[in-house]
Amino acid sequence: MNTAPARPRKGLRADRVPHTFVILFGITVLLGIATYLIPAGEYDKRPDSAGRDLVISGTYHAVAAAPASPADLFMSVLAGMEKGAEIIFFLLIIGGCLGVLNSTGAVDRMLRRVLARFAGRELFIIPVVLGFFALAGATFGMSEEAIPYLIIILPILQRIGFDRILIAALPLVGTAVGWAGSITNPFNIGIAQQIAGVPLFSGMAVRAGLLVILYVVAAAYFMRYGAKILKDPNKSLVGMGAAAPDGSPQPAGGPDGGAGDPQDGPFTARDIAIVCVFVAAIVTVPVGIIAFGWFIAEMSAVFIVMALIVAVIARMDYNAVAETFTAGCKDLLVAALSVGLAYSGIVLLTDAHVLDTIVYGMASAVGSLSSTFAAGGMVVAQSAINYLVSSGSGQAALTMPIMAPLSDLVGVSRQTAVLAFQFGDGISNCLTPTSGSMMAGLAIAGVSWFTWARFLLPLMGVFYAIGCAYVIVVHMFIWTV
């Protein structure tokens, strides 16, 4: 019987697809060129109670041009690494800790037994996993925190029969859907509503409606693709192999082992203890985020403690712990460095003082429309801005002080302006190459951004149509002025 892995579809050969670093540096070059084409300008800013710099509407003014020089282009790489340092080292620590865990083989032996029970019901895993990430994004704002979960579910769902691009979509699109339909996300809707001067977390029912619609559409899209590749693996856009440490695809049965691998051995009491420690760490992270406001530092600490306890239970030699930790870091090196490269282009735009000009131009365009078209125009403007400012809190501080008073002038409710912001801020996060966490996720899965865009663009078109229509309907019939 032929056991060769399914090949990627014609035209997607790995040696012809640009490496993640090539794509990101190319974007940096393009943004550097843009600093010569976009006039420099700034809004006056004031700090709020949380220390965020909020722009002051109506204060936009031209400033001296400062386009990026060739030297700035190359220095922006280090500046981007510095800007994304927290996430970069977080990914390396997570990779190292999971390297220690995976070296024991305990989780692998458990999965080989559990996955057999999903025979014939594989597709139902898709809406469950997607729903978890969507709800996490909509409530407590999961974003970068989804990366450890992607590392965990990638080998699990591959063994079920799903490919790397579908598996990566579940957390990356799931969290984006959650942010677009935010209910209590403090990082986008919480800040935006405070700036807009509307009650905190008000309008939940309307926002939950958008969340449900986006989730159902995404689940149907992914289940359709999943059913297709389960029936015929050759229809996978990326092939059914695993991802190598450099992000390129490799044949199945690589480092995860194959027939006759020692990890096929019995599931022992020691394995049970290791799995329990692992599960405890996975549960502790979201509890800490929700109950205590944890972020990257605390999450890293949880995984370090997990790795040390696992090493003790497995009776690993201290040198073996260091070596497996280092190997795990290497597996995520491309993903980690991708974060810094994703930030480098934005550093150029910021230093050249052209970001505010872009916001000013879009706000002026929206202000010239009738109220109904202005509501839809806000979705378009916020979506476009998010391709340059992927931070939800950063985009809120940059745009909402302008869009809130602008909505008063064009006859749009401030609640609708916030709804347009959260959709535009959230849904673009699963496609924009300036999002460090998204590019890191693709690097982990070994998926090129171009292949990802080809896979996702039809769904994104539907998303944007839904977002514009939903905001316009809300403007006309619910949050009327």
Side-chain angles (χ1 to χ4, degrees):
M1 184 177 69
N2 183 13
T3 59
R7 296 179 179 178
R9 296 172 71 173
K10 185 177 180 180
L12 294 173
R13 281 176 45 191
D15 59 350
R16 294 189 178 184
V17 176
H19 190 283
T20 299
F21 290 172
V22 176
I23 296 170
L24 290 173
F25 188 71
I27 292 171
T28 300
V29 172
L30 292 176
L31 293 179
I33 294 172
T35 64
Y36 287 86
L37 306 176
I38 303 173
E42 287 184 344
Y43 284 97
D44 293 336
K45 297 178 175 65
R46 61 174 179 82
D48 67 359
S49 58
R52 292 183 293 263
D53 286 331
L54 305 183
V55 303
I56 301 174
S57 182
T59 63
Y60 175 81
H61 56 279
V63 298
S69 67
D72 292 332
L73 174 66
F74 295 109
M75 290 191 293
S76 71
V77 175
L78 178 59
M81 297 293 175
E82 292 175 345
K83 185 176 178 64
E86 191 174 38
I87 301 175
I88 291 171
F89 285 105
F90 169 66
L91 289 174
L92 293 177
I93 289 172
I94 294 299
C97 293
L98 293 180
V100 175
L101 174 69
N102 291 334
S103 70
T104 68
V107 174
D108 199 80
R109 285 188 286 272
M110 178 196 70
L111 291 176
R112 291 176 188 271
R113 289 153 179 79
V114 172
L115 293 180
R117 301 188 179 185
F118 284 98
R121 297 175 291 174
E122 296 88 353
L123 281 180
F124 292 104
I125 296 174
I126 292 175
V128 172
V129 177
L130 181 71
F132 165 76
F133 288 110
L135 191 60
T139 52
F140 64 87
M142 175 181 281
S143 181
E144 293 89 352
E145 300 89 344
I147 297 301
Y149 293 91
L150 173 58
I151 301 170
I152 293 163
I153 67 173
L154 187 60
I156 299 173
L157 299 189
Q158 278 188 288
R159 292 189 184 122
I160 289 176
F162 299 137
D163 66 4
R164 292 171 283 114
I165 200 167
L166 175 59
I167 299 168
L170 299 181
L172 298 182
V173 178
T175 52
V177 163
W179 279 66
S182 291
I183 301 173
T184 59
N185 184 334
F187 304 109
N188 69 345
I189 185 176
I191 295 173
Q193 287 188 323
Q194 286 179 334
I195 295 173
V198 298
L200 187 63
F201 301 136
S202 56
M204 283 189 182
V206 174
R207 303 176 201 285
L210 178 60
L211 174 65
V212 170
I213 293 172
L214 296 176
Y215 164 72
V216 170
V217 170
Y221 187 83
F222 295 143
M223 289 179 75
R224 180 175 178 272
Y225 178 80
K228 181 172 66 174
I229 62 173
L230 286 176
K231 183 178 180 180
D232 182 2
N234 286 300
K235 292 186 177 180
S236 167
L237 289 174
V238 293
M240 303 303 291
D246 64 353
S248 61
Q250 67 180 21
D256 286 332
D261 192 282
Q263 294 178 345
D264 282 327
F267 190 56
T268 65
R270 182 178 296 174
D271 290 338
I272 294 174
I274 290 173
V275 170
C276 286
V277 172
F278 169 60
V279 172
I282 295 301
V283 171
T284 299
V285 167
V287 170
I289 293 171
I290 297 171
F292 306 109
W294 286 3
F295 193 46
I296 287 178
E298 294 83 359
M299 291 169 59
S300 300
V302 169
F303 279 95
I304 291 172
V305 171
M306 177 208 73
L308 293 176
I309 295 175
V310 164
V312 171
I313 295 174
R315 298 179 182 176
M316 295 177 64
D317 175 78
Y318 53 83
N319 281 334
V321 175
E323 289 168 0
T324 54
F325 183 91
T326 302
C329 290
K330 290 178 181 178
D331 288 342
L332 286 191
L333 186 60
V334 171
L337 295 181
S338 296
V339 174
L341 282 174
Y343 282 130
S344 60
I346 307 307
V347 169
L348 292 180
L349 294 182
T350 303
D351 292 346
H353 309 295
V354 300
L355 272 179
D356 285 8
T357 300
I358 296 171
V359 174
Y360 173 75
M362 291 185 175
S364 299
V366 170
S368 65
L369 302 173
S370 65
S371 63
T372 300
F373 287 107
M378 287 182 178
V379 174
V380 175
Q382 294 286 10
S383 298
I385 292 169
N386 192 58
Y387 280 91
L388 299 176
V389 184
S390 58
S391 165
S393 57
Q395 186 173 342
L398 178 63
T399 65
M400 287 313 299
I402 301 168
M403 292 298 183
L406 179 63
S407 67
D408 298 336
L409 296 176
V410 298
V412 174
S413 166
R414 291 195 173 199
Q415 287 279 26
T416 304
V418 172
L419 182 66
F421 156 76
Q422 73 177 65
F423 176 83
D425 163 64
I427 210 63
S428 307
N429 286 337
C430 59
L431 186 61
T432 172
T434 59
S435 170
S437 58
M438 193 275 293
M439 293 303 291
L442 294 185
I444 289 168
V447 176
S448 161
W449 183 84
F450 288 108
T451 306
W452 174 253
R454 175 185 173 184
F455 169 67
L456 212 58
L457 279 177
L459 178 62
M460 293 297 290
V462 175
F463 276 160
Y464 283 124
I466 290 172
C468 287
Y470 195 89
V471 169
I472 290 173
V473 168
V474 167
H475 162 69
M476 295 176 63
F477 301 105
I478 301 177
W479 288 330
T480 57
V481 176

